[in-house]
């Protein structure tokens, strides 16, 4: 009974968005109201906690909106300065094939950015870049989200593990068990990272191919998976180029750098290979003429009608180096500000606005306004680009005005979506004595799937990411629960926590927050239901494979802690 009630806000979201195709800006206020009614009537949640959780959710949405706005204004700046035309030409110089471009931008470049910044940044950056190259906006959002899965567990320099899974170390009992197993806390997290990297890599090798096949099936003139398969040799080569250093770094160095360094290495290998024609498909694949596109593919963001011959003939206002310089600066700044050894991270994180104990609750909101990637580097680089590309005042004014208009609709969806999540997460603070909504859902799942828990456990990670929009938050929510279930069924706690981490990453493909952010940055706000519906298939397959790998691994390594 309690689990059925607890799942109502989630079911409301799924039914209205996925089945009825309602936009998130209409659905999320309704889902929040459902959560509030349940919290007040059944859970007897005090008003200070109910209002405090909603306020905390709305303020947290503001942090995400800063990232989204930064990505939008940077993209619009590059488009209006003429840099995107030059970038088009450089990508055609690497390969004019759209399948190859999607693999390099969405999977490899996005993976590198995820490793450096995390928190939805890759989808917000890679999506608009693909639109600028002439990809349908709906396709750019879908592919950017699907690609932003494998790198996520090691995003933001390992935050999902170092900041998420480490939450279980707050338990004296668990810390004692880890010590008895002969491990320090750091060694324990290192092992969890390894057992997240291994299943990720098994699926990740084939993710570039999946991206190519989804692109040709949903956005090709012939609607064919077969055209995606034609790029299989290069796609698998790209997957191996990323996954081999990814796993090696996770095993040797730990959870901080697999995505960041793996992405950087893979970009160098695959771009060089593509330019030399290595494993390139015999026939170049491109989109049909814009007049043949489905109306649902495009939105408010203007999509250039890019033709290979036109690109080659185009007289460029911005040199290739200057066109790419903003992205180079973004990448360098992300690396320098995210790796503690450089000493900049601490300075930026020390600048913050904080509201402690909101309305007397235990909730504390923090805005690290300089550490958010939306401000540094996105907005910072957008401002620098004005001078680097010598933009006129009129063009700059139009760029910023249009960017503000684009981000406003997303604010409604995000404020209520995160508000709903926080009400559910904090519903355990009640007068009824009942477990909170999220705990009730997880407990019911554990009882129903105990016999095959290793297969089902990554789906808990997906649930956490779907609701919270964050692999880190998903791990904070459910790592302790996963550890406890693993202990009860006498399975490896390290492997089960690894599946939690991977599930939280796969959930990024369908996370309401990330989908809204990605759709906003490419100008197709209102298409969230369609994106979630389509992305649910690769997310399910990804998670199921990881669960099977975990089930087999536990059988092969029965003595692993």
């Amino acid at each position: 009974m309690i689990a059925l009630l607890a799942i109502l806000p989630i079911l409301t979201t799924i039914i209205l968005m996925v089945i009825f195709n309602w936009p998130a800006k209409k659905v999320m206020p309704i889902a929040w109201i459902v959560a509030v009614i349940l919290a007040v009537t059944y859970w007897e949640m005090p008003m200070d906690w109910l209002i405090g959780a909603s306020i905390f959710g709305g303020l947290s949405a503001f942090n995400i909106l800063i990232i989204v706005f930064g990505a939008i204004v940077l993209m619009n700046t590059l488009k209006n300065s003429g840099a995107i035309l030059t970038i088009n030409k450089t990508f055609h110089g690497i390969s004019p094939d759209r399948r190859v471009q999607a693999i390099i931008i969405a999977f490899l470049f996005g993976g590198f950015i995820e490793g450096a910044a995390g928190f939805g940044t890759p989808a917000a950056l890679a999506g608009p870049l693909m639109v600028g190259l002439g990809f349908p906006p709906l396709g750019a959002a879908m592919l950017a989200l699907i690609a932003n899965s494998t790198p996520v567990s090691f995003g933001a320099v390992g935050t999902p593990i170092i900041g998420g899974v480490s939450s279980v170390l707050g338990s004296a009992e668990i810390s004692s068990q880890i010590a008895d197993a002969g491990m320090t806390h750091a060694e324990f997290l290192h092992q969890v990272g390894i057992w997240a990297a291994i299943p990720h890599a098994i699926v990740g090798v084939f993710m570039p191919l999946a991206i190519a096949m989804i692109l040709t099936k949903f956005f090709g003139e012939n609607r064919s998976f077969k055209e995606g398969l034609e790029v299989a040799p290069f796609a698998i080569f790209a997957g191996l180029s990323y996954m081999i250093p990814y796993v090696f770094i996770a095993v040797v160095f730990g959870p901080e750098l697999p995505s960041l360094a793996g992405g950087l290495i893979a970009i160098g290998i695959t771009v060089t290979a593509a330019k030399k024609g290595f494993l390139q498909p015999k026939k170049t694949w491109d989109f049909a003429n814009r007049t043949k596109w489905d109306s649902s593919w495009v939105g408010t963001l203007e999509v250039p009608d890019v033709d290979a011959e036109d690109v080659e003939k185009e007289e460029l206002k911005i040199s290739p180096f200057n066109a790419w310089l903003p992205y180079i600066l973004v990448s360098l700044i992300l690396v320098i500000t995210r790796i503690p050894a450089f000493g900049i991270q601490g300075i930026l994180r020390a600048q913050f606005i904080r509201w402690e104990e909101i309305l007397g609750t235990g909730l504390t909101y923090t805005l690290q306004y300089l550490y958010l990637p939306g401000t540094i580097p996105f907005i910072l680089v957008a401002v620098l680009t004005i001078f680097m590309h010598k933009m006129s005042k009129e063009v700059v004014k139009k760029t910023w005005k249009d960017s503000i208009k684009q981000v406003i609709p997303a604010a409604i969806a995000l404020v209520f979506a995160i508000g709903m999540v926080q009400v559910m997460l904090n519903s355990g603070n009640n007068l009824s004595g009942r477990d909170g909504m999220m705990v009730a859902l997880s407990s019911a799942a554990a009882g129903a799937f105990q016999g095959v828990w290793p297969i089902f456990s990554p789906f808990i990670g997906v649930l956490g990411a779907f609701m919270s929009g964050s692999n880190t938050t998903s791990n904070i929510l459910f790592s302790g629960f996963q550890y406890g279930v693993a202990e009860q069924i006498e399975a490896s706690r390290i492997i089960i926590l690894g599946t939690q981490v991977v599930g939280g990453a796969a959930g990024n493909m369908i996370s309401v927050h990330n989908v809204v952010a990605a759709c906003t940055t490419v100008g197709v706000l209102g298409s969230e239901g369609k994106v979630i519906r389509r992305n649910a298939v690769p997310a399910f397959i990804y998670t199921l494979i990881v669960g099977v790998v975990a089930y087999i691994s536990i059988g092969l390594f029965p003595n692993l802690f």
Side-chain angles (χ1 to χ4, degrees):
M1 174 64 181
I2 187 173
L4 290 175
L5 289 174
I7 204 172
L8 281 178
I10 300 174
L11 284 178
T12 301
T13 302
I14 294 171
I15 290 170
L16 293 180
M17 289 183 66
V18 178
I19 297 177
F20 291 96
N21 208 30
W22 283 23
K25 65 180 181 181
K26 291 184 178 180
V27 173
M28 297 322 303
I30 295 172
W32 174 77
I33 290 171
V34 172
V36 167
I37 291 172
L38 289 171
V40 171
T41 58
Y42 187 75
W43 270 268
E44 300 178 30
M45 193 174 176
M47 277 296 139
D48 55 347
W49 271 100
L50 181 65
I51 298 172
S54 299
I55 291 173
F56 179 74
L59 292 172
S60 299
F62 180 69
N63 292 19
I64 298 172
L65 287 166
I66 291 175
I67 298 173
V68 172
F69 175 74
I72 290 174
V73 77
L74 176 60
M75 184 63 214
N76 286 342
T77 299
L78 294 175
K79 182 180 73 175
N80 293 337
S81 75
I84 287 297
L85 285 175
T86 302
I87 290 173
N88 286 343
K89 191 164 186 176
T90 60
F91 266 102
H92 278 274
I94 295 171
S95 172
D97 195 298
R98 298 299 193 174
R99 298 164 296 185
V100 175
Q101 291 175 5
I103 289 168
I104 292 173
I105 298 171
F107 190 68
L108 302 180
F109 178 66
F112 165 72
I113 296 299
E114 174 64 38
F119 299 101
T121 305
L125 195 60
L129 178 55
M130 285 191 284
V131 172
L133 293 171
F135 281 67
L138 184 65
M142 280 180 57
L143 296 180
L145 287 162
I146 290 169
N148 193 33
S149 50
T150 306
V152 169
S153 292
F154 303 100
V157 202
T159 299
I161 294 174
I162 297 171
V165 176
S166 63
S167 61
V168 301
L169 302 176
S171 164
E173 182 181 354
I174 292 176
S175 293
S176 176
Q177 291 174 354
I178 291 170
D180 290 342
M183 289 184 288
T184 64
H185 286 177
E187 288 167 344
F188 172 72
L189 294 176
H190 190 161
Q191 287 296 312
V192 172
I194 291 171
W195 285 97
I198 291 171
H200 259 318
I202 291 171
V203 187
V205 167
F206 300 99
M207 284 302 288
L209 179 58
I211 287 166
M213 291 173 65
I214 290 168
L215 177 66
T216 58
K217 174 63 177 177
F218 290 108
F219 302 97
E221 187 172 8
N222 300 319
R223 303 293 201 278
S224 168
F225 281 129
K226 185 179 178 181
E227 290 177 326
L229 280 169
E230 292 171 0
V231 79
F234 179 80
I236 293 174
F237 169 74
L240 289 169
S241 298
Y242 193 174
M243 291 299 101
I244 290 173
Y246 176 98
V247 173
F248 175 80
I249 293 166
V251 171
V252 176
F253 298 105
E256 289 90 348
L257 296 175
S259 294
L260 190 155
L264 196 58
I265 292 167
I267 289 170
I269 293 171
T270 54
V271 167
T272 302
K275 291 182 77 170
K276 292 184 179 296
F278 181 68
L279 297 179
Q280 292 296 285
K282 294 179 181 179
K283 184 180 179 181
T284 298
W285 186 88
D286 203 348
F287 302 109
N289 187 277
R290 277 286 305 279
T291 57
K292 297 181 179 180
W293 287 11
D294 189 286
S295 60
S296 67
W297 295 3
V298 295
T300 59
L301 199 62
E302 185 180 345
V303 184
D305 194 0
V306 180
D307 180 84
E309 292 184 8
D310 292 340
V311 170
E312 291 301 321
K313 296 175 184 176
E314 186 75 47
E315 186 175 339
L316 304 176
K317 295 187 293 183
I318 307 292
S319 70
F321 176 77
N322 278 337
W324 275 105
L325 185 56
Y327 283 120
I328 293 170
L329 288 175
V330 165
S331 302
L332 287 174
I333 292 170
L334 283 173
V335 172
I336 292 170
T337 57
R338 265 55 186 176
I339 297 179
F342 287 106
I344 305 296
Q345 183 187 58
I347 296 173
L348 296 182
R349 297 187 78 164
Q351 314 304 313
F352 58 81
I353 298 171
R354 176 170 293 166
W355 184 358
E356 296 186 359
E357 301 287 325
I358 297 173
L359 302 186
T361 65
L363 299 171
T364 296
Y365 167 74
T366 301
L367 171 62
Q368 294 175 320
Y369 50 89
L370 294 182
Y371 191 66
L372 281 176
T375 50
I376 297 178
F378 289 171
I379 292 176
L380 172 63
V381 172
V383 172
L384 293 175
T385 302
I386 294 170
F387 302 100
M388 292 189 296
H389 293 179
K390 300 177 181 177
M391 298 172 67
S392 67
K393 290 181 179 179
E394 292 73 20
V395 173
V396 172
K397 185 178 179 180
K398 181 181 183 301
T399 298
W400 284 70
K401 187 176 179 180
D402 291 346
S403 300
I404 292 170
K405 285 182 179 179
Q406 278 180 254
V407 82
I408 287 174
I412 299 170
L414 286 172
V415 165
F416 283 100
I418 303 180
M420 177 197 72
V421 170
Q422 291 302 323
V423 168
M424 293 183 70
L425 292 179
N426 291 285
S427 57
N429 299 288
N430 60 58
L431 302 177
S432 68
R434 297 184 175 98
D435 288 334
M437 296 184 199
M438 285 300 221
V439 174
L441 283 175
S442 299
S443 298
F449 297 96
Q450 186 171 350
V452 287
W453 185 256
I455 294 176
F456 188 77
S457 64
F459 287 93
I460 294 295
V462 171
L463 173 65
F466 175 78
M467 294 302 298
S468 68
S470 166
N471 193 176
T472 300
T473 302
S474 179
N475 294 341
I476 290 170
L477 287 174
F478 296 124
S479 286
F481 167 73
Q482 295 268 26
Y483 184 101
V485 174
E487 190 175 13
Q488 289 173 23
I489 65 174
E490 297 182 347
S492 168
R493 285 152 280 196
I494 287 173
I495 293 177
I496 293 296
L497 283 173
T499 66
Q500 159 64 35
V501 172
V502 179
N508 269 254
M509 298 188 208
I510 55 172
S511 160
V512 175
H513 310 80
N514 291 342
V515 171
V516 171
C519 288
T520 302
T521 57
V522 299
V524 289
L525 193 65
S527 300
E528 300 88 359
K530 180 174 286 188
V531 172
I532 291 174
R533 190 163 56 247
R534 288 181 174 176
N535 284 12
V537 175
F540 177 82
I541 294 171
Y542 198 121
T543 310
L544 183 62
I545 293 172
V546 168
V548 171
V549 170
Y551 189 84
I552 294 171
S553 299
I554 286 173
L556 293 174
F557 302 94
N559 297 320
L560 185 66
F561 178 78

